[in-house]
Amino acid sequence: MKELVLQVSADRLEEVQEFVRGEMEAAGSSLKAISQVEIAVEEIYINIAHYAYPSGEGEAVIRCETDTERSKISIQFVDAGTPFDPLAKEDADISLSAEERSIGGLGILMIKKLMDEVTYCYEEGKNILTIVKYL
């Protein structure tokens, strides 16, 4: 398992994307899978950068683990910010118009649609969100 530890800032998204992309390319992932994971990674990381730490300062750990036998990659996002389970919220109702729909929820819905597995837990004072994509 490879790990990237950084001070959270929206300006560091590209660094996170390059880290994940590098792991996926090394595993021989398709361009389609890489693109789908990059969308999910952007949504998750930017939400951490904007909302996890009310003070605006904090650390995030991004872990990538490729399983070539099962042909999958697992990406885990860990932060010690405000506890938040994005999976607990009901999925956004995309049948409603933008004006009728409540704010929020589209990002996690998109992540659920693009990824094969999405899990969340809160352990030892840390948010842990894991996404899995079969390659």
Side-chain angles (χ1 to χ4, degrees):
M1 182 180 295
K2 299 267 178 103
E3 186 174 278
L4 174 67
V5 180
L6 66 160
Q7 288 299 305
V8 176
S9 166
D11 296 339
R12 299 193 73 182
L13 173 62
E14 189 172 326
E15 184 179 348
V16 174
Q17 295 280 43
E18 287 174 6
F19 170 69
V20 173
R21 187 180 316 113
E23 292 302 303
M24 292 188 73
E25 288 173 349
S29 302
S30 70
L31 187 55
K32 180 180 177 181
I34 291 171
S35 295
Q36 290 174 334
V37 168
E38 283 182 334
I39 291 167
V41 166
E42 178 176 355
E43 181 67 28
I44 294 165
Y45 180 75
I46 291 300
N47 280 334
I48 292 170
H50 288 170
Y51 305 113
Y53 297 101
S55 69
E57 295 183 14
E59 188 175 88
V61 179
I62 294 87
R63 296 184 181 120
C64 287
E65 182 174 22
T66 52
D67 181 341
T68 52
E69 285 182 25
R70 293 179 168 166
S71 190
K72 72 175 187 175
I73 185 164
S74 299
I75 304 159
Q76 191 174 76
F77 298 82
V78 182
D79 68 78
T82 304
F84 178 69
D85 179 356
L87 303 177
K89 188 174 182 180
E90 192 172 310
D91 286 344
D93 185 350
I94 56 174
S95 67
L96 298 173
S97 69
E99 294 81 25
E100 296 173 308
R101 200 175 320 140
S102 61
I103 295 174
L106 287 176
I108 193 65
L109 178 62
M110 180 176 52
I111 292 165
K112 288 177 180 178
K113 299 284 186 196
L114 292 172
M115 298 299 101
D116 296 301
E117 298 173 30
V118 183
T119 59
Y120 170 85
C121 66
Y122 187 77
E123 292 179 357
E124 300 178 12
K126 294 187 180 350
N127 293 293
I128 304 169
L129 182 66
T130 305
I131 57 175
V132 174
K133 182 69 177 172
Y134 291 98
L135 310 172

